[in-house]
Amino acid sequence: MPKENSRNQVPVRAIISGGGTGGHIYPAIAIANELKERHANTEILFVGAQGKMEMEKVPKAGYPIEGLWISGIQRSLSADNLSFPFKLTSSLLKARRIIKKFKPNVAIGVGGFASGPLLYVASRMGVPSLIQEQNSYAGLTNKWLAKRVNTICVAYEGLEKYFPAEKLVHTGNPVRKDILALDVTAKRTAAFQHFGLDPAKQTILIVGGSLGARSINESISKDLHKIVNAGAQVLWQTGKNSFEENPDNAGLLNHPLVKRTEFIYEMDLAYALADIIVSRAGALAVSEICLVGAPAILVPFPFAAEDHQTKNVLALEEKNAAIHIKNSDAKSLLVDAALALLQDTNRQQQLAQNIRQLGKPKATEQIVDEVLKLI
């Protein structure tokens, strides 16, 4: 049954802005879906950055999206930085036009390039605004917006050092409904059929984020023969731009035990067949793995802002909830660690039990509660 909110009887017209990676896009879609579930007459418009993956993924989820001509400032000296003032001016003007036309009664930012100009203009125009910070380290855009928005939903404790404490609400990260409602036992057979894998084999799910992870891909590609020789199988999301076949393992990509794909849309099915997971440690990945309750090996991306992925892993490692392998050690350790974990059912059970306790299944509902308070 759809949830009702007695405080809010007016139609909801929400703009949701942000993107750049799946870690921003899928939480945004989860928020949109929850709003629609509560109020069937909700109208939602997404605003993203032209050329970024949200321009593809959001329409696939059934929502309209407008694109801004915006990108980030490069940390190194770059000619691209010269165009930033023009992009920002263009985006601010277009954001104003979008808001005047759509007339939202709330604006939601999830991080990423586009949310900066959109939420800035919305706040200047008197639209109640909320931002959601997924990581343990606040992103530049959200830090810039913090003084202007009404509410800041966060996934980690201790973010008072980045944001005004009186605006903070500790909610956790939004996760898609198909992950929240995942019944592994019920979906496992369908999952193996969908991906064309053998239900009698142990399965490693390898995901490096929506854009892929070069160090993980290179590690798996280098030692793919070890996995095949052990009789295990892999479901491997490589991303579009970070995969090259290792010549020493030429031909193994077509092996029946190897299913490689650029992107997995049916993550509920992917999680359902995984005995163990190898992943980056972005906020969305960690949140989903906590809710799924799967034994995981995490390889944090060391060049993320303030190395926040490593901080995410350390928080889990301290609770014996995940195995941490440094990016620099992946080539030498990753596959051997994965195969060792496959053989250690006691360790699998321990990790799964501990990581499941860290999940926040009500995060999306709590964020939408805060959104509706603003209307």
Side-chain angles (χ1 to χ4, degrees):
M1 292 288 294
K3 303 179 187 70
E4 294 295 335
N5 190 311
S6 59
R7 295 182 53 143
N8 181 27
Q9 300 299 328
V10 300
V12 179
R13 295 180 63 82
I15 280 186
I16 303 178
S17 186
T21 68
H24 293 309
I25 296 166
Y26 291 111
I29 291 172
I31 293 169
N33 290 343
E34 177 71 13
L35 280 169
K36 291 287 285 187
E37 182 177 337
R38 298 217 194 168
H39 296 274
N41 63 344
T42 295
E43 293 189 38
I44 295 173
L45 175 65
F46 278 76
V47 176
Q50 292 176 5
K52 296 298 182 180
M53 64 183 299
E54 59 263 27
M55 304 305 295
E56 174 192 354
K57 306 301 183 188
V58 168
K60 282 182 178 291
Y63 294 102
I65 186 168
E66 295 271 1
L68 303 181
W69 183 45
I70 189 67
S71 61
I73 299 175
Q74 303 300 313
R75 296 185 181 185
S76 59
L77 292 175
S78 170
D80 291 340
N81 287 341
L82 297 176
S83 66
F84 179 77
F86 303 99
K87 291 181 178 180
L88 180 58
T89 300
S90 169
S91 295
L92 290 169
L93 292 172
K94 186 171 182 180
R96 182 175 179 82
R97 291 195 298 270
I98 290 171
I99 291 170
K100 288 184 70 174
K101 180 179 179 181
F102 186 70
K103 296 181 174 60
N105 49 21
V106 68
I108 303 162
V110 295
F113 304 139
S115 65
L118 192 286
L119 269 290
Y120 176 83
V121 172
S123 65
R124 289 287 300 268
M125 297 177 69
V127 179
S129 302
L130 173 149
I131 56 175
Q132 197 261 327
E133 176 57 59
Q134 295 98 21
N135 288 296
S136 57
Y137 175 81
L140 180 62
T141 299
N142 280 346
K143 285 194 288 187
W144 180 59
L145 292 170
K147 292 183 178 180
R148 296 190 167 276
V149 301
N150 301 86
T151 305
I152 305 170
C153 294
V154 298
Y156 290 85
E157 296 178 351
L159 290 184
E160 293 85 358
K161 56 189 172 183
Y162 305 119
F163 300 128
E166 68 276 10
K167 296 183 179 183
L168 291 182
V169 183
H170 186 201
T171 59
N173 278 324
V175 173
R176 292 166 285 182
K177 285 284 187 182
D178 56 356
I179 306 300
L180 285 172
L182 178 61
D183 184 333
V184 171
T185 303
K187 287 195 172 184
R188 193 167 172 84
T189 299
F192 282 108
Q193 291 176 346
H194 178 80
F195 292 110
L197 291 170
D198 185 350
K201 301 286 187 183
Q202 290 183 301
T203 307
I204 306 171
L205 171 62
I206 303 162
V207 286
S210 53
L211 301 177
R214 185 171 299 279
S215 65
I216 292 177
N217 286 344
E218 289 178 349
S219 302
I220 301 302
S221 186
K222 168 181 169 286
D223 287 338
L224 192 56
H225 63 284
K226 292 183 180 180
I227 298 174
V228 171
N229 290 342
Q233 61 190 358
V234 294
L235 175 57
W236 180 9
Q237 177 182 284
T238 62
K240 291 184 177 181
N241 304 317
S242 57
F243 174 77
E244 294 179 6
E245 184 175 5
N246 189 303
D248 294 335
N249 286 319
L252 282 183
L253 292 180
N254 296 319
H255 195 282
L257 294 177
V258 178
K259 176 68 174 181
R260 182 182 76 90
T261 180
E262 288 184 353
F263 190 82
I264 300 172
Y265 285 96
E266 307 83 359
M267 280 304 299
D268 57 327
L269 297 180
Y271 287 134
L273 58 70
D275 291 293
I276 67 170
I277 298 171
V278 173
S279 176
R280 282 295 198 206
L284 177 62
V286 170
S287 296
E288 290 188 348
I289 294 170
C290 286
L291 290 170
V292 171
I297 298 174
L298 300 177
V299 184
F301 180 58
F303 306 108
E306 296 297 310
D307 199 16
H308 66 261
Q309 287 201 11
T310 297
K311 294 173 184 175
N312 293 347
V313 179
L314 291 175
L316 298 177
E317 190 177 30
E318 289 172 0
K319 294 178 170 58
N320 193 25
I323 294 173
H324 174 198
I325 292 183
K326 293 180 180 179
N327 196 70
S328 57
D329 293 335
K331 278 191 179 181
S332 59
L333 300 179
L334 181 56
V335 169
D336 288 341
L339 292 174
L341 183 58
L342 273 183
Q343 300 306 313
D344 190 342
T345 55
N346 288 334
R347 181 79 167 123
Q348 289 180 39
Q349 292 171 2
Q350 188 179 56
L351 291 172
Q353 179 180 350
N354 291 343
I355 202 168
R356 191 178 293 115
Q357 294 175 2
L358 303 177
K360 292 187 176 295
K362 301 293 186 181
T364 312
E365 295 178 21
Q366 291 174 5
I367 291 168
V368 170
D369 286 344
E370 295 300 320
V371 170
L372 294 177
K373 288 177 184 178
L374 298 177
I375 300 175

